[in-house]
Amino acid sequence: MTNSRLSGLYNLSVAQRRAKVTESAPLPADLLSVYDTGGLSVDAADHMVENSVGMHALPVGIGLNFIVNGRDVLVPMVIEEPSVVAGASFMAKLARAAGGFFAKADEPLMIGQMQVLDAADLHSARLALLEHKASLLDEADAIDPILKKFGGGARDLQVRIIEDSPVGPFLVVHLVYDVRDAMGANAVNTACERLAPRVEAITGGRVHLRILSNLADRRLARVRCTVPVQELAFSDPDGRTYSGEQVRDGIIAAYAFAAADPYRAATHNKGIMNGVDAIVIATGNDWRAIEAGAHAYAARSGRYTSLSTWGTDADGNLVGTLEMPMAVGIIGGATKVHPAAQAALKLMGIQSAAELAEIIVSVGLAQNMAALRALATEGIQRGHMSLHARQVAIAAGATGDMIEGIARRMVEEKVVRIDRAEELMKEAEKQPKQ
Ligand code: NAD
């Protein structure tokens, strides 16, 4: 059993944190040593992309306090932005009081698209394809025997007519494919390419594009959480106090802004993606695919809006929900070949792609709540600035203990800027050594 409630982890050294994390779950003691190098060798990187010249590192923080579907989870988060790991962990702590996060992923159905040009009559071509649906699905089903062995394969064939486009009307075929524990892009692209000649023969048209859609709206993941209203009360460092009701109503009003205004919704959803992407990257998944799906889904009504909702339950507690496409895998792509991705899956005790999707949306919702709570009360900058100040201190050349000292001074002065950090560095260097 994992315990994700590790208080005081923040105050430990990196080595102590690693020990505490691996002791809190049934994990090998050296699991996190993969993060010494980020898990990849220069040689391995050379096999992954073209013209490789090495690797690019990012920090990994552990998201704490998460209970997802009744199970404690320690969450590896790869992100360069301060405050995200702390914000998500704090909100997960508040949500714990009501059982944490309740999440459910859809069946792993991906959509492959075929664009059929030059068919003489689009309506009869569409019906001809639907008449051959069973045999087309049989053919598509046989394309990936491994996927089939694991219970995946072709599930449905839909045909749409696009009436209005810059090249006039054409047909679009959607092949719906169950990709089990894979993200599925390669599997779906292969199936579309292999099916294309039969689609051409049936329609008399020409299959142009054959590619997966990242608007994976048949593969949504959903999560909800409740935060007891009394858990939301707090005092900020200036001594201002906020009641639970004030914080709750502030969060709901902040959500309403995102629900109604695309300018705000873009930033609101960016906050969700701070949590989402951090795990998607940690597990070697394709974060561009997730980003593309998220924003396309947020715009599905024709107006871009919030991916999450915030309201109250009958007892006045804060209730949050998030629903978004979540095409992630634990097989294939980089997930299997990247040792750090493998360690991340082990750390979370993940057995299926659905379970990974459920954890990811939980962290996205927690991160959304963290941003809304800060914005609706003391503002985002205080919490953010104390962490940001450390990066500014490092950028000014501070090392070791000097980083904390200079960061603290800048936060006290409320001037977090590189020029001030450089001045403070000079001052510190002038001080006689003790
Ligand atoms: P993949 O082809 O490497 O692995 C999936 C395959 O693994 C399956 O087809 C199946 O044959 C096999 N497999 C074994 N056990 C399985 C199990 N339990 N469940 C499912 N499959 C199992 O990977 P993929 O997931 O098809 O493709 C992911 C990669 O495609 C990512 O790296 C992504 O970046 C890339 N990609 C993305 C896009 C896009 O998003 N538009 C387009 C092209 C490529």
Side-chain angles (χ1 to χ4, degrees), residues 81 254-255 257-259 261-275 291 295 298 304-308 364 367-372 375 380:
E81 186 176 343
Y255 149 66
F257 188 3
D261 176 30
Y263 285 92
R264 173 58 207 150
T267 320
H268 176 98
N269 290 340
K270 190 273 181 184
I272 293 172
M273 301 314 284
N274 276 342
E291 285 279 344
H295 300 295
Y304 187 87
T305 188
S306 167
L307 287 165
S308 64
Q367 184 52 38
N368 182 220
M369 176 165 46
L372 295 185
L375 286 167
I380 205 92

Side-chain angles (χ1 to χ4, degrees), residues 73-257:
V73 202
L74 291 158
V75 185
M77 299 176 72
V78 172
I79 189 153
E80 84 298 346
E81 186 176 343
S83 304
V84 173
V85 179
S89 301
F90 184 53
M91 294 308 133
K93 188 168 145 196
L94 300 188
R96 269 182 99 85
F101 297 86
F102 300 89
K104 185 84 183 101
D106 283 342
E107 289 296 301
L109 298 180
M110 297 299 285
I111 298 167
Q113 294 193 294
M114 282 171 267
Q115 180 190 22
V116 188
L117 299 174
D118 305 336
D121 178 66
L122 297 188
H123 295 280
S124 55
R126 175 171 172 271
L127 292 196
L129 281 168
L130 292 176
E131 280 159 27
H132 288 85
K133 185 168 165 169
S135 68
L136 284 164
L137 287 181
D138 280 349
E139 189 169 336
D141 210 30
I143 290 168
D144 194 328
I146 304 176
L147 207 44
K148 197 163 166 54
K149 191 180 95 188
F150 287 104
R155 291 290 180 267
D156 199 7
L157 192 94
Q158 297 158 340
V159 192
R160 298 160 51 212
I161 297 175
I162 304 254
E163 298 284 2
D164 191 20
S165 90
V167 295
F170 56 85
L171 273 190
V172 179
V173 181
H174 279 192
L175 175 64
V176 179
Y177 218 82
D178 183 325
V179 297
R180 295 287 92 201
D181 286 321
M183 181 270 187
N186 288 320
V188 168
N189 294 344
T190 306
C192 286
E193 290 193 2
R194 296 272 288 278
L195 217 55
R198 276 219 55 215
V199 169
E200 291 187 334
I202 292 168
T203 60
R206 174 170 63 90
V207 175
H208 189 47
L209 299 198
R210 299 148 298 172
I211 179 84
L212 164 111
S213 169
N214 287 112
L215 177 50
D217 62 359
R218 302 290 301 268
R219 196 181 187 179
L220 302 177
R222 300 176 185 82
V223 60
R224 63 185 167 82
C225 73
T226 300
V227 182
V229 67
Q230 68 276 8
E231 295 284 323
L232 290 165
F234 79 108
S235 307
D236 72 19
D238 291 336
R240 270 189 303 253
T241 60
Y242 301 87
S243 71
E245 287 76 11
Q246 265 176 316
V247 178
R248 177 198 65 197
D249 295 345
I251 289 175
I252 295 170
Y255 149 66
F257 188 3

Side-chain angles (χ1 to χ4, degrees), residues 285-343:
N285 273 289
D286 184 338
W287 72 93
R288 289 86 53 208
I290 298 300
E291 285 279 344
H295 300 295
Y297 191 68
R300 67 195 179 285
S301 70
R303 183 170 60 81
Y304 187 87
T305 188
S306 167
L307 287 165
S308 64
T309 68
W310 291 94
T312 55
D313 67 9
D315 300 321
N317 300 313
L318 180 69
V319 182
T321 73
L322 171 64
E323 179 182 74
M324 62 186 289
M326 195 45 68
V328 286
I330 59 168
I331 297 283
T335 55
K336 252 305 198 249
V337 296
H338 197 307
Q342 284 295 301

